[in-house]
Amino acid sequence: MGYLWIAGAVTVAGAWVWLLVRAKQRRSRVKPVLVAAAGSFLLVAGVLLALDPGAPKHEAIKTGGLAGGSIVALYALWLNDRRRRIDEKRHDLETARQELEIARAEHDRSRVADERFARSVELLGHETEQVRVGAMHALAGLARSRPEYTQTVLDVLCAYLRRPFKPETAEDADRQDSAQYTPESERELEVRLTAQRLIADLLPPDDQGGAELYDLNLTRAYLEYFDLSHRQVGELTVRAARLARSNSFHHLVVHGGAWFTDSHSEGRLHMHDMVFCDLGWFSRLRCDDRADFARTRFFGPAKFAGARFRGPVSFEGVEFEDSVDRTDLQLPADAVLPAGRVDEAVGS
């Protein structure tokens, strides 16, 4: 029994050398670990018996078994930790692969959307009105599926409405007292009505809190039966526009500035129950027919300088929370524009 610990030490040393060789070769380390565990058993038991020959042998064997078992347990812990790290790396690689696939799919969708947008814009110049209408619907569909395109699509539709258009009229054979549009003007007007309807459809309703706000630039646009009622916008620019027949802005909430400067309303203008959160500019606005501003609220400065209302106009229940410029305002005798909190001329 005196040389038992020597055999154990030699076995442990040999097992560690074997373990290093296996590790370098990236081969299984189970056999060297088992040999090292057996060597540890012999080494510990032999040492205990050599140091105290009178001690119970079963205690030495038990302690040696614990030493050998500890080697196996440590190896098992190392295997578990190694497996955990491998699983984590595999998970990270899988996550990176999925993110790459998502990015690739998003890139493909963006590319398809860009191509679809470019093609639709190109078709807006087509000579056939059906093609132009189809292109507008394609743009609106793109805005609904890709919200980041909404403002751009609205800009394109507004730009179409800003194209020069003066409808030509011809005498109706059945009604000599009324002028009707020519077939060419009717076809172009149908395209414009589609653009107007799609613009309204893309705007959020007035009761939707926290909605994304979009700006409209309709400078010098020709608008006929334009209806933005019960919608909300950011900034609204309708400078030098021609408003034919009837146009509705009632219950519209304008969060930014609103400019109707130098516009001409030839027909009815419905602007009742509107909300102007910022300035409302109506300088030199001309209204030939009925204009209704009843119950509209102006939270910012308002300007009606040089505005002319030739037909009936209603300002019943209008509220001005800021200044109102009424310089050279022309109203029918029975119409009164209420004063603001600070009724004074404001800058142009």
Side-chain angles (χ1 to χ4, degrees):
M1 300 296 290
Y3 297 97
L4 188 62
W5 68 272
I6 298 177
V10 172
T11 302
V12 170
W16 282 111
V17 172
W18 191 12
L19 183 64
L20 293 175
V21 172
R22 285 286 185 124
K24 188 175 182 180
Q25 295 176 348
R26 297 182 179 277
R27 298 175 62 185
S28 175
R29 302 171 178 83
V30 176
K31 291 181 180 180
V33 169
L34 293 177
V35 172
S40 299
F41 168 75
L42 295 175
L43 176 62
V44 173
V47 169
L48 291 176
L49 291 174
L51 293 177
D52 189 4
K57 293 182 179 180
H58 69 276
E59 291 294 334
I61 293 173
K62 180 180 179 180
T63 305
L66 290 174
S70 298
I71 297 296
V72 176
L74 288 174
Y75 179 67
L77 290 174
W78 178 81
L79 282 178
N80 288 333
D81 181 69
R82 183 168 177 261
R83 186 179 297 108
R84 179 186 59 80
R85 286 187 278 112
I86 291 174
D87 290 341
E88 288 179 352
K89 289 182 179 179
R90 185 181 295 113
H91 176 72
D92 292 341
L93 289 175
E94 182 65 20
T95 301
R97 186 188 66 80
Q98 292 178 357
E99 291 177 351
L100 182 61
E101 290 295 331
I102 293 174
R104 183 181 293 113
E106 182 64 24
H107 174 73
D108 292 340
R109 286 194 294 267
S110 297
R111 178 179 54 80
V112 172
D114 291 341
E115 292 175 354
R116 180 181 173 188
F117 175 79
R119 179 58 177 164
S120 299
V121 172
E122 180 181 353
L123 290 176
L124 287 179
H126 199 277
E127 61 182 7
T128 306
E129 65 275 6
Q130 293 92 334
V131 176
R132 298 198 297 273
V133 169
M136 290 179 179
H137 281 284
L139 287 171
L142 176 62
R144 295 187 185 98
S145 61
R146 309 279 295 185
E148 65 270 20
Y149 278 88
T150 303
Q151 182 63 64
T152 303
V153 170
L154 287 171
D155 291 342
V156 171
L157 295 176
C158 289
Y160 190 92
L161 295 176
R162 294 199 304 270
R163 294 173 56 179
F165 176 63
K166 185 176 182 180
E168 298 179 357
T169 58
E171 293 297 324
D172 191 333
D174 297 330
R175 298 179 58 191
Q176 296 294 332
D177 59 337
S178 64
Q180 300 296 322
Y181 293 144
T182 62
E184 292 78 7
S185 294
E186 285 284 0
R187 288 193 292 269
E188 173 60 22
L189 182 60
E190 183 61 32
V191 180
R192 290 175 170 268
L193 292 176
T194 299
Q196 293 177 175
R197 184 174 64 255
L198 292 175
I199 288 174
D201 291 344
L202 290 175
L203 296 175
D206 59 341
D207 58 354
Q208 181 179 343
E212 184 75 20
L213 299 177
Y214 304 104
D215 302 333
L216 298 182
N217 184 355
L218 295 164
T219 300
R220 298 186 181 278
Y222 176 88
L223 303 175
E224 183 172 322
Y225 296 116
F226 191 34
D227 186 359
L228 290 184
S229 60
H230 295 281
R231 298 290 174 178
Q232 54 180 318
V233 298
E235 290 187 351
L236 178 62
T237 306
V238 197
R239 288 192 177 104
R242 179 183 175 187
L243 309 176
R245 308 226 175 175
S246 177
N247 291 274
S248 298
F249 298 88
H250 61 85
H251 296 90
L252 174 68
V253 180
V254 186
H255 293 269
W259 294 269
F260 287 80
T261 309
D262 293 311
S263 290
H264 182 197
S265 177
E266 302 172 359
R268 296 179 299 277
L269 183 61
H270 304 281
M271 305 193 74
H272 57 86
D273 297 285
M274 289 183 64
V275 176
F276 293 90
C277 300
D278 203 329
L279 59 87
W281 250 230
F282 296 87
S283 306
R284 299 177 298 281
L285 170 68
R286 292 181 297 158
C287 291
D288 297 338
D289 203 335
R290 179 180 299 275
D292 188 1
F293 288 84
R295 299 174 301 280
T296 291
R297 302 180 67 185
F298 292 82
F299 288 97
K303 186 171 185 178
F304 288 84
R308 290 182 293 171
F309 293 89
R310 295 177 177 175
V313 57
S314 173
F315 291 102
E316 180 182 357
V318 171
E319 297 181 17
F320 292 102
E321 300 292 335
D322 207 313
S323 58
V324 182
D325 185 353
R326 300 185 290 180
T327 307
D328 297 326
L329 171 63
Q330 298 181 23
L331 292 173
D334 59 346
V336 178
L337 179 67
R341 291 189 175 181
V342 182
D343 192 16
E344 60 182 10
V346 293
S348 59

